[in-house]
Amino acid sequence: MDGIVLLKEDHRTVEKLFKQFEKAGDDAHAEKRKIADQVIEELTTHTWIEEKIFYPAAREAAPDTKDHVLESIEEHHVVLWMLSELKDLDAADERFDAKMSVLMENVRHHVEEEEKEWFPDVRKAMGRNRLTEIGEQMEKAKKKAPSEPLAVPSAKH
C-alpha cells in the first residue's frame, strides 16, 4: 500500500465521521459520543503513524518541505489536545458540539494543505517503491499506536 494513499484513506474515513456528526440531531448525545470516540481513535492513530514514520521519511526525501512538516506537527499538537479534552467531555455538555466543530475545522484545513500542497512534492521526491515501503510500515504501526491522544509525540511539545 502506497503511504500517501493510506493517509488519504484515513482522511476520507475521518471526513465520513465528521459528516455523520454534523447530520446527528442536536440531542443525539449518545450517537455523537460514539462518533467522537471513533474520531479520537482514528486521529490518534493517524497522527502517530505520520509522526513516527511518514514525516521523518518525507523530510529525508524532500528536505525543502521541512517547514510544512513542522507546521503539521504544530497542527497535530492542537488537534491532539482537543481530542484529549473531547475524550473526557460529556456529549451533553454545551461545549461538546462547539469543540467538535473547531476540531473539524482544524482537521479539514490540515488535510487540505497536506493533500494539495505537500503530498504531490513528497510523492515526486519519494517515488513509488519508497512510498509502498513506507505504507507497509505505517499499516503495521497502526496496530501499535497508542489510544491516548496525549501519548503522540507532538502533544508533548
Side-chain angles (χ1 to χ4, degrees), residues 108-142:
R108 285 171 170 154
H109 165 80
H110 178 78
V111 165
E112 185 177 347
E113 279 189 342
E114 275 190 345
E115 292 190 3
K116 291 188 175 150
E117 299 171 19
W118 190 52
F119 283 175
D121 293 338
V122 173
R123 177 173 293 290
K124 217 178 291 174
M126 277 195 186
R128 183 180 301 147
N129 291 343
R130 182 71 176 126
L131 280 169
T132 300
E133 188 182 301
I134 294 291
E136 288 168 6
Q137 288 174 22
M138 288 192 297
E139 191 67 53
K140 285 180 191 159
K142 278 187 172 197

Side-chain angles (χ1 to χ4, degrees), residues 58-70:
R59 275 183 80 164
E60 184 183 319
D64 56 333
T65 67
K66 175 185 154 204
D67 288 345
H68 183 90
V69 173
L70 294 174

